[in-house]
Amino acid sequence: MYRSHTCGALRMQDVNQQVTLAGWVQTIRKFGAITFIDLRDRYGITQLLLGEELNSQLTDQPLGREYVLQATGKVTERSNKNSQIDTGDIEVAVTSFTILNKSAVPPFTIQDDTDGGDDIRMKYRFLDLRRNAVKKNLELRYAVNRSARNYLHQQGFMDIETPFLIKSTPEGARDFVVPSRMNAGQFYALPQSPQTFKQLLMVSGYDRYYQIVKCFRDEDLRADRQPEFTQIDCEMAFVEQEDILQMFEQLIKQIFKDVKQIDYSDLVERISWEEAMWTYGNDKPDIRFNMKLANYKFPLHTFPEKKETLSNSLLSSGATGFAVFDQAETIIGFAAAGCSEYTRKQIDELTEWVKRPQIGMQGMVYIKCNLDGTFKSSVDKFFGEESLQKIAAATGAQPGDLVLVLAGKEEKTRKAASELRLEMGKRLGLRKENEFKLLWVLDFPLFEYAEEENRWVARHHPFTAPKPDHIAVMIDNDPEIKDAAKYLEHPYAGIKANAYDMVLNGNEIGGGSIRIFQRPLQEKMFAALGMTEAEALHKFGFLLGAFEYGAPPHGGIAFGFDRLCSILGGSESIRDFIAFPKNNSGRDVMLDAPGTIDQHQLDELHIQLNKE
Amino acid sequence: MYRSHTCGALRMQDVNQQVTLAGWVQTIRKFGAITFIDLRDRYGITQLLLGEELNSQLTDQPLGREYVLQATGKVTERSNKNSQIDTGDIEVAVTSFTILNKSAVPPFTIQDDTDGGDDIRMKYRFLDLRRNAVKKNLELRYAVNRSARNYLHQQGFMDIETPFLIKSTPEGARDFVVPSRMNAGQFYALPQSPQTFKQLLMVSGYDRYYQIVKCFRDEDLRADRQPEFTQIDCEMAFVEQEDILQMFEQLIKQIFKDVKQIDYSDLVERISWEEAMWTYGNDKPDIRFNMKLANYKFPLHTFPEKKETLSNSLLSSGATGFAVFDQAETIIGFAAAGCSEYTRKQIDELTEWVKRPQIGMQGMVYIKCNLDGTFKSSVDKFFGEESLQKIAAATGAQPGDLVLVLAGKEEKTRKAASELRLEMGKRLGLRKENEFKLLWVLDFPLFEYAEEENRWVARHHPFTAPKPDHIAVMIDNDPEIKDAAKYLEHPYAGIKANAYDMVLNGNEIGGGSIRIFQRPLQEKMFAALGMTEAEALHKFGFLLGAFEYGAPPHGGIAFGFDRLCSILGGSESIRDFIAFPKNNSGRDVMLDAPGTIDQHQLDELHIQLNKE
């Protein structure tokens, strides 16, 4: 062992002890004949004092930043204590040292606030990982990993490894594939998730399975997606939705406790998908703050259960005289608390914000709810005081609030309202980094309509079961959509899934479902997704086969481990929580991967490159 | 939840409780109007009693083996108790039941001793996994996983995930590669191990790293190799070999304790590679039994330090008159205890055994050390009683033992002697399944000679450091082998590695080394292996670069997790300890993978198949 203690270990009680430390030179400060060195390792920083007697060695072997140093000496009390660090009461009076390795001058200094920019950081990731900021992220990641494993173990879950070289069954995202040398012309695929394997394990009787496992999706990388990512993947047999919700909200609460020392004793709220869309404009609402949406006008087929609301709305008639509202499919507003005194400039800036191409609205209507009870709006011409009062009241606005209203096509307007709500929440400081709010979103539609192909696609995945009440609707109806324009009237449009998403602070951190476990229903599902019988057998014959030999009812969930860590760590970027991430072109710039392979390798794999 | 208890939970104290169980029908026995069902799940088996009142339901809904059943009733004491199972004192008097799912007749019965043969087992792996024998293996695997993680956590190791989509740098085994869609003509490789990443993590200061991680090698699969396999992968910084040996023998001892309830308090023996070859004929000796080899004759360059032994040997002269011995390069023998009364038939059979092509010897000499102190041998013609006594004495033979002697070319004879020793150990019952003996094998040669290319290859891998004393030999000499015939005289032939293997019961379960951490030495290593500077930079530039920025001394080890589990489970086959293994052609017969992919996928990946 090159050291007797780490650089984070020594305290006052160690004074007078003879110690040997090893680590990296963080800083060197010379005061006359005396040299101070801050020596750093994973555990902390200890100040070394090199006296006059080492001067000649220091001249022969000059030290530099990031040199690897081994130093022996006596622990002494510091005259000038540093209360910022745990070892700040002591220093080591060095009697001898050895340079274990030199270092070139690093391209950026190893400090919290200097990282040299993203490209340099990634190229020199091995140096970036030395920075305290990054180290803390990886430590948090390990703590989450450990906490999850402990909880799941206590609950009787077994970690069972599933294979990485599997069969390509693209459905949704693209597979990464691996040419087989021993089976010419054939390919393995890397798993997008262990979905079918964990279901097979349920069929095999391993009724509580988990894995923290890499998954692979060959998608065009939007910001903050990685081609390889990690899931906490879980499955249970003989359970209903309620069992899963309870088991896994407890998992996240345990992680809060172990990792963040937060005792999350609140009930985890639950909301239906429809209600989430209605109230927040999206299916992963941030409920750290209120600001609920008022739906003044909307296409009735989208929210059939809200008929009452529509008929009560002042703005739904299309005869207000304000063309923007009268021609809009959807009108949505909400109240920004305490913003009634926004200046013209502030309101103009907000209006520009919703007109940006990412949001794409034509404009924004505002109503100032003045403290004196009067109203001032951008549509005073069209609406009298009483109408303004009614419009504002629908949002729950109080005197002093500012009501913002958007109008246009349903999908775009709802999305814009959601985005504007989040933006106002941010500006008003309501999205607090250290507040954590969990939410279950339930009752998703089972199917989505794919316009280009005029067919159904699975909203979650093809193994998700419909609500028990809706199984008959699925079995008894032909999935074919005869009239594309009226797809919403097809019985399949109303089928709800036994699926659930867990949302944390406006991010989907996990999702899952109760699965289909009967062969006929699974076959119907494949047919509904436009697969022929032969295709279904070719791709998923093993699963259909397994369902014939006593498959139990089962369901599960998968958490996005990278995302969960980044939220717990208070960061927007999952890359900061991955030791060796890839960039947006899927490249590892440190390794310079992917790269070419030689002809011999290609030949052995029975493939050749396309000349283009 | 479909159940109130598992099928392994109920005991006498639960009598009179109302319970609901869910599981699989193991057996159905009818006695008149009464039906007994053994209901099975992961936790055990509980007997259900279905009385007369359920007869009509049983007629309408007949049950079969492997049906999934939910049953509610009252726990009652059994009149006819079964002490073989934990729930054997009670049964459940069923008042109602529901068939959750039917089952076709399985292709083999789900019992310990019926598996339908290997092909059927693998095709229906989801049923095979229901068998208790297989379930126990996966449970053991999870227990080893859990034990290893707990120990490493307590020792301050951090689980850090390394990437799966990396760069192809084939050196030794073939890489599996993954064509990149976004980088036309380029490929990722799947890691053969996280070797370079864990070294980078040491450079980054994460001085205790571990991972239980999948690795990939595209090799022709000998029996009991898998294209994807799992390692317990570990690395430490600021350590010397001794630190690693102690840390990781303690890991294995902890696993023994947690998983097998074995308190392994013995010192772990250590042996040099040379001594292992000398004494046992191979580098992973089974030391559960003694039977050490006597080396009567051997090529001196192979064991230069054994010169003394050679000059003392009666058989080394080449003038004994027995041509087989006189012409042999190597003569090795050992004593099989208590076998002096082997019959002619038994000895003939052993002789045939060593003549099999897998062993390939021409014959075998025996000397019976009779209980009366006389000797009887197959070479009585050439050796008198006194000579026979000397030959036998060299093996440590006692009266009643049988000395077996092999002669021929060094490599083949030594291997044959090793195999014969293991075979005799097995026949004599000395390789006890429940005895575990650990051994460190140390001081491996750093290089091996590759005859075809007339160059050095790394015995372990290119990152292994030479013994500190041998660094100068490596730096100061030109690696080129000018005279192939005299390669053993090249200074590199004598360089020993700072490497170590952990051997358990004759199996290598782990191996590792202290690593090179200085760029110049690493460059010399790459050059020694025949890499040009450009090649080394192309393949490992990131590592050489990292070594310039303060790389600490470090080393590590990797354990073959599948193998470790199989030995602890008392099995020869690692496949029995993998949930979804591949066969010897690298195929998953359940999935039918690998498979073809469609033209569109190929096009997107910028590749095409070779027409052959």
Side-chain angles (χ1 to χ4, degrees):
Chain A
M1 197 69 86
Y2 281 81
R3 64 190 176 198
S4 64
H5 294 75
T6 71
C7 295
L10 297 172
R11 299 288 184 278
M12 277 299 288
Q13 72 216 43
D14 301 305
V15 163
N16 284 328
Q17 229 189 300
Q18 196 70 15
V19 299
T20 301
L21 302 185
W24 286 264
V25 172
Q26 176 82 17
T27 57
I28 307 170
R29 284 159 292 145
K30 277 189 177 292
F31 290 98
I34 286 175
T35 304
F36 289 105
I37 292 172
D38 277 351
L39 196 68
R40 187 197 69 236
D41 67 11
R42 173 182 149 198
Y43 309 91
I45 285 179
T46 299
Q47 180 166 292
L48 307 180
L49 184 156
L50 281 66
E52 219 172 333
E53 68 285 3
L54 293 174
N55 266 346
S56 66
Q57 190 183 348
L58 281 170
T59 312
D60 294 348
Q61 306 176 310
L63 294 172
R65 271 175 185 264
E66 300 306 315
Y67 273 43
V68 187
L69 198 69
Q70 182 187 39
T72 298
K74 200 164 77 172
V75 183
T76 56
E77 183 171 358
R78 271 164 80 161
S79 51
N80 192 6
K81 293 184 181 170
N82 177 354
S83 62
Q84 303 289 307
I85 57 171
D86 292 340
T87 61
D89 287 350
I90 57 91
E91 63 193 3
V92 174
V94 174
T95 49
S96 69
F97 72 85
T98 307
I99 295 174
L100 297 175
N101 216 343
K102 293 182 181 182
S103 174
V105 176
F108 50 87
T109 55
I110 309 301
Q111 285 171 346
D112 283 12
D113 50 355
T114 61
D115 61 16
D118 215 46
D119 290 352
I120 293 288
R121 276 182 71 192
M122 288 304 139
K123 185 162 160 57
Y124 294 91
R125 183 63 168 172
F126 51 86
L127 294 179
D128 191 36
L129 287 170
R130 283 187 192 164
R131 292 169 56 237
N132 209 35
V134 184
K135 192 189 74 178
K136 275 188 179 158
N137 293 346
L138 294 190
E139 285 173 344
L140 179 135
R141 185 181 177 105
Y142 177 48
V144 176
N145 177 323
R146 182 90 191 141
S147 171
R149 287 183 189 280
N150 285 343
Y151 173 80
L152 292 167
H153 178 75
Q154 281 152 18
Q155 298 297 326
F157 285 79
M158 260 176 87
D159 180 347
I160 302 177
E161 293 168 63
T162 53
F164 279 74
L165 296 172
I166 65 167
K167 184 167 171 168
S168 185
T169 55
E171 174 68 24
R174 275 186 213 89
D175 285 328
F176 281 105
V177 298
V178 180
S180 168
R181 179 178 56 84
M182 289 203 278
N183 302 273
Q186 301 194 332
F187 293 77
Y188 300 99
L190 300 178
Q192 297 188 24
S193 87
Q195 182 61 34
T196 49
F197 293 98
K198 66 179 178 175
Q199 293 194 245
L200 289 175
L201 287 172
M202 295 305 110
V203 174
S204 301
Y206 297 79
D207 57 8
R208 296 190 166 193
Y209 145 93
Y210 88 98
Q211 215 182 165
I212 299 183
V213 63
K214 275 282 174 76
C215 302
F216 305 86
R217 280 180 208 172
D218 185 12
E219 294 185 280
D220 295 319
L221 300 174
R222 284 179 274 151
D224 224 26
R225 284 271 188 106
Q226 290 280 315
E228 51 176 310
F229 56 97
T230 306
Q231 282 187 351
I232 307 178
D233 190 52
C234 307
E235 195 83 1
M236 301 173 78
F238 300 116
V239 290
E240 290 157 308
Q241 177 171 298
E242 184 61 31
D243 305 309
I244 304 242
L245 301 189
Q246 288 184 19
M247 178 64 74
F248 293 101
E249 64 188 49
Q250 206 47 52
L251 166 66
I252 301 299
K253 287 182 175 183
Q254 188 63 47
I255 290 171
F256 280 142
K257 190 163 193 177
D258 292 342
V259 176
K260 302 291 288 183
Q261 291 75 51
I262 291 173
D263 204 349
Y264 195 105
S265 51
D266 298 358
L267 267 184
V268 176
E269 286 183 46
R270 298 174 182 196
I271 192 171
S272 71
W273 174 82
E274 191 170 307
E275 204 57 38
M277 295 304 289
W278 177 260
T279 313
Y280 300 103
N282 76 59
D283 59 3
K284 43 179 185 178
D286 186 346
I287 59 164
R288 280 175 297 183
F289 63 105
N290 220 333
M291 268 196 214
K292 289 180 179 165
L293 306 185
N295 291 269
Y296 305 106
K297 192 178 180 183
F298 52 90
L300 191 56
H301 64 242
T302 313
F303 297 100
E305 289 172 24
K306 302 293 185 182
K307 198 170 171 182
E308 193 68 8
T309 318
L310 191 60
S311 57
N312 285 340
S313 173
L314 166 71
L315 304 180
S316 66
S317 65
T320 66
F322 179 40
V324 171
F325 281 6
D326 289 349
Q327 287 157 21
E329 185 179 25
T330 292
I331 309 174
I332 302 176
F334 64 89
C339 298
S340 70
E341 306 204 341
Y342 261 32
T343 62
R344 179 62 183 258
K345 196 175 152 199
Q346 282 176 297
I347 286 177
D348 284 352
E349 190 267 327
L350 268 188
T351 308
E352 288 310 309
W353 193 91
V354 301
K355 289 164 88 173
R356 292 176 318 145
Q358 300 95 309
I359 305 292
M361 298 308 292
Q362 303 284 339
M364 182 186 78
V365 167
Y366 70 84
I367 304 173
K368 289 181 172 180
C369 308
N370 298 321
L371 284 167
D372 62 6
T374 62
F375 297 89
K376 169 84 190 97
S377 90
S378 51
V379 286
D380 286 348
K381 260 192 283 186
F382 307 100
F383 299 99
E385 189 87 358
E386 198 185 334
S387 298
L388 291 177
Q389 193 272 330
K390 276 190 187 161
I391 296 171
T395 68
Q398 300 295 314
D401 292 356
L402 175 69
V403 174
L404 304 174
V405 183
L406 300 176
K409 295 289 281 179
E410 161 66 19
E411 206 177 314
K412 181 178 271 191
T413 306
R414 194 161 296 277
K415 191 161 182 297
S418 166
E419 294 289 337
L420 183 59
R421 173 183 174 272
L422 290 172
E423 178 65 17
M424 289 309 296
K426 197 169 99 184
R427 292 186 184 194
L428 295 172
L430 302 172
R431 307 188 70 183
K432 300 193 190 93
E433 202 184 278
N434 282 316
E435 190 184 359
F436 294 96
K437 273 285 200 183
L438 291 168
L439 175 72
W440 284 115
V441 181
L442 306 172
D443 305 338
F444 286 83
L446 185 62
F447 296 105
E448 274 178 346
Y449 178 65
E451 209 175 330
E452 323 79 61
E453 302 164 78
N454 186 41
R455 69 165 178 97
W456 302 109
V457 294
R459 189 181 175 92
H460 186 214
H461 58 47
F463 312 106
T464 294
K467 293 272 170 208
D469 296 352
H470 294 181
I471 291 177
V473 180
M474 189 165 150
I475 292 281
D476 296 344
N477 287 285
D478 182 344
E480 200 192 335
I481 303 157
K482 300 231 161 67
D483 182 351
K486 294 191 180 160
Y487 78 90
L488 275 164
E489 291 169 23
H490 192 287
Y492 273 39
I495 297 178
K496 291 286 194 287
N498 234 337
Y500 30 81
D501 275 0
M502 180 169 261
V503 173
L504 174 59
N505 292 2
N507 298 281
E508 182 206 323
I509 57 166
S513 62
I514 298 296
R515 323 298 183 187
I516 296 169
F517 68 105
Q518 309 93 335
R519 178 163 182 157
L521 188 58
Q522 187 65 66
E523 285 175 329
K524 185 83 183 185
M525 171 58 89
F526 288 143
L529 304 178
M531 260 186 240
T532 64
E533 249 176 81
E535 259 181 286
L537 272 178
H538 174 69
K539 286 182 173 175
F540 298 109
F542 61 96
L543 189 68
L544 292 171
F547 283 178
E548 298 216 51
Y549 292 98
H554 62 284
I557 195 167
F559 292 92
F561 185 56
D562 310 298
R563 168 70 57 212
L564 175 61
C565 292
S566 82
I567 298 171
L568 292 173
S571 166
E572 301 263 303
S573 162
I574 63 170
R575 289 208 299 172
D576 290 344
F577 292 78
I578 297 173
F580 300 101
K582 293 189 175 53
N583 73 9
N584 281 346
S585 319
R587 295 198 68 83
D588 183 322
V589 294
M590 180 187 71
L591 295 183
D592 194 21
T596 53
I597 60 176
D598 60 33
Q599 190 57 45
H600 176 67
Q601 277 176 288
L602 291 171
D603 292 343
E604 281 198 321
L605 297 171
H606 322 282
I607 57 172
Q608 52 187 288
L609 302 183
N610 276 346
K611 307 271 184 297
E612 276 158 313
Chain B
M1 198 69 85
Y2 283 79
R3 63 189 176 198
S4 64
H5 294 78
T6 69
C7 294
L10 297 173
R11 299 286 185 279
M12 274 303 287
Q13 73 216 41
D14 301 304
V15 164
N16 284 326
Q17 230 188 298
Q18 196 70 13
V19 299
T20 301
L21 303 185
W24 287 263
V25 173
Q26 177 82 18
T27 56
I28 308 172
R29 284 160 291 144
K30 277 188 178 294
F31 290 97
I34 288 174
T35 304
F36 288 104
I37 291 172
D38 276 352
L39 195 69
R40 187 195 70 234
D41 68 9
R42 174 182 149 200
Y43 309 92
I45 285 181
T46 298
Q47 180 166 290
L48 308 180
L49 185 154
L50 281 67
E52 220 170 334
E53 69 285 2
L54 293 173
N55 266 347
S56 67
Q57 190 182 347
L58 280 171
T59 310
D60 293 349
Q61 305 177 313
L63 295 171
R65 275 177 181 262
E66 302 305 316
Y67 273 44
V68 187
L69 197 69
Q70 184 187 37
T72 298
K74 200 164 78 170
V75 183
T76 56
E77 184 171 357
R78 273 165 77 163
S79 50
N80 192 7
K81 293 186 181 168
N82 177 352
S83 61
Q84 304 287 307
I85 58 172
D86 291 341
T87 61
D89 287 349
I90 57 89
E91 63 194 4
V92 174
V94 175
T95 49
S96 68
F97 71 86
T98 308
I99 295 175
L100 298 174
N101 216 342
K102 294 184 183 181
S103 173
V105 176
F108 49 87
T109 55
I110 309 302
Q111 285 172 344
D112 285 12
D113 49 356
T114 62
D115 60 16
D118 215 46
D119 290 351
I120 293 287
R121 277 182 69 192
M122 289 304 137
K123 186 160 162 53
Y124 293 91
R125 183 63 168 174
F126 50 86
L127 293 180
D128 192 36
L129 287 170
R130 284 189 191 162
R131 293 169 57 238
N132 209 33
V134 183
K135 192 189 75 178
K136 275 189 179 160
N137 293 346
L138 294 191
E139 285 174 344
L140 179 137
R141 186 180 177 107
Y142 176 48
V144 175
N145 178 322
R146 183 88 190 143
S147 171
R149 286 185 189 279
N150 284 344
Y151 173 81
L152 292 166
H153 178 76
Q154 281 152 18
Q155 298 296 327
F157 285 78
M158 262 175 86
D159 180 347
I160 302 175
E161 292 168 66
T162 53
F164 279 74
L165 296 172
I166 65 167
K167 186 168 171 167
S168 184
T169 55
E171 176 67 28
R174 274 186 214 90
D175 285 328
F176 281 104
V177 299
V178 180
S180 168
R181 179 178 56 85
M182 290 205 278
N183 302 273
Q186 300 195 333
F187 293 78
Y188 301 98
L190 299 178
Q192 297 189 22
S193 88
Q195 182 62 34
T196 51
F197 293 98
K198 65 179 180 175
Q199 293 193 243
L200 290 174
L201 287 172
M202 294 306 110
V203 174
S204 300
Y206 297 78
D207 58 8
R208 295 187 170 195
Y209 145 93
Y210 88 97
Q211 216 183 166
I212 299 185
V213 64
K214 275 282 173 76
C215 303
F216 305 85
R217 281 181 206 168
D218 185 12
E219 293 186 280
D220 295 316
L221 300 174
R222 284 178 274 151
D224 225 27
R225 284 270 187 104
Q226 289 280 315
E228 51 174 310
F229 55 96
T230 306
Q231 282 186 352
I232 306 177
D233 191 52
C234 308
E235 196 81 1
M236 301 172 78
F238 300 117
V239 289
E240 291 157 308
Q241 177 170 297
E242 184 60 31
D243 304 309
I244 305 244
L245 300 190
Q246 288 183 19
M247 178 64 73
F248 293 100
E249 62 188 49
Q250 205 50 50
L251 166 64
I252 300 299
K253 286 182 176 184
Q254 188 64 47
I255 291 172
F256 280 141
K257 191 164 191 175
D258 293 342
V259 176
K260 303 291 288 183
Q261 292 76 49
I262 291 173
D263 203 350
Y264 195 106
S265 51
D266 298 0
L267 267 183
V268 175
E269 286 184 45
R270 299 176 182 193
I271 192 172
S272 72
W273 174 82
E274 190 170 308
E275 204 58 36
M277 295 303 289
W278 177 259
T279 312
Y280 300 102
N282 76 60
D283 60 4
K284 44 180 183 178
D286 186 345
I287 58 165
R288 281 176 295 182
F289 63 104
N290 220 334
M291 266 197 217
K292 290 182 179 165
L293 306 185
N295 289 270
Y296 304 107
K297 191 176 179 183
F298 52 89
L300 193 55
H301 63 242
T302 314
F303 296 101
E305 288 172 24
K306 301 294 185 180
K307 197 169 170 183
E308 192 71 6
T309 317
L310 191 61
S311 58
N312 284 341
S313 170
L314 167 72
L315 304 181
S316 67
S317 64
T320 67
F322 179 41
V324 171
F325 282 5
D326 289 349
Q327 287 157 21
E329 187 179 23
T330 292
I331 308 173
I332 301 176
F334 64 87
C339 297
S340 69
E341 304 204 343
Y342 261 31
T343 61
R344 180 60 185 258
K345 197 176 152 198
Q346 282 176 298
I347 287 179
D348 282 354
E349 190 268 328
L350 267 187
T351 308
E352 287 312 307
W353 193 92
V354 301
K355 288 163 90 173
R356 292 179 317 146
Q358 299 96 308
I359 306 292
M361 299 307 292
Q362 303 283 339
M364 182 186 78
V365 167
Y366 70 84
I367 304 173
K368 291 181 170 177
C369 307
N370 297 320
L371 285 167
D372 63 4
T374 62
F375 297 88
K376 169 84 190 99
S377 91
S378 53
V379 287
D380 284 350
K381 263 194 281 188
F382 306 100
F383 298 101
E385 189 85 359
E386 199 186 334
S387 299
L388 291 177
Q389 193 273 330
K390 277 188 186 163
I391 297 170
T395 68
Q398 300 295 314
D401 292 356
L402 175 69
V403 174
L404 304 174
V405 182
L406 300 174
K409 295 288 283 179
E410 163 66 19
E411 207 175 314
K412 180 178 271 191
T413 305
R414 192 163 297 277
K415 191 159 180 300
S418 165
E419 294 289 336
L420 183 59
R421 174 183 172 272
L422 290 172
E423 177 66 19
M424 290 308 297
K426 197 168 102 187
R427 294 185 182 195
L428 295 173
L430 302 172
R431 307 189 70 183
K432 299 194 190 91
E433 203 185 274
N434 282 315
E435 190 184 0
F436 295 97
K437 274 287 201 180
L438 290 168
L439 174 72
W440 283 115
V441 180
L442 306 172
D443 306 339
F444 286 83
L446 186 61
F447 295 105
E448 273 178 346
Y449 178 65
E451 211 175 328
E452 324 77 63
E453 302 165 78
N454 187 41
R455 70 165 178 98
W456 302 109
V457 293
R459 187 178 179 92
H460 186 214
H461 58 48
F463 312 107
T464 294
K467 292 271 169 209
D469 296 352
H470 294 181
I471 291 177
V473 181
M474 189 164 148
I475 292 281
D476 296 344
N477 288 284
D478 182 344
E480 200 193 333
I481 302 157
K482 300 231 162 65
D483 183 351
K486 292 189 180 161
Y487 79 90
L488 275 162
E489 291 168 23
H490 192 288
Y492 273 38
I495 298 178
K496 290 285 193 287
N498 234 336
Y500 31 81
D501 275 359
M502 182 171 260
V503 173
L504 174 58
N505 291 3
N507 298 280
E508 183 205 321
I509 58 167
S513 62
I514 298 297
R515 323 298 183 187
I516 297 170
F517 67 104
Q518 310 93 336
R519 179 166 181 153
L521 187 58
Q522 188 65 66
E523 286 176 327
K524 185 82 184 187
M525 171 58 89
F526 289 142
L529 303 179
M531 262 186 240
T532 65
E533 246 176 84
E535 261 181 286
L537 272 179
H538 175 69
K539 288 182 172 176
F540 299 107
F542 62 95
L543 189 68
L544 292 170
F547 282 177
E548 297 215 52
Y549 292 98
H554 62 286
I557 195 167
F559 292 91
F561 186 54
D562 309 296
R563 168 72 55 213
L564 176 59
C565 292
S566 81
I567 299 171
L568 291 173
S571 166
E572 302 263 300
S573 162
I574 64 170
R575 290 208 299 172
D576 291 343
F577 293 79
I578 297 172
F580 299 101
K582 293 189 174 54
N583 73 9
N584 281 345
S585 318
R587 294 197 71 84
D588 183 322
V589 293
M590 181 188 69
L591 296 182
D592 194 20
T596 54
I597 60 176
D598 61 32
Q599 190 57 45
H600 177 66
Q601 277 178 288
L602 290 171
D603 291 345
E604 281 199 321
L605 297 171
H606 323 281
I607 57 173
Q608 52 188 287
L609 302 183
N610 275 347
K611 307 270 185 297
E612 275 158 311

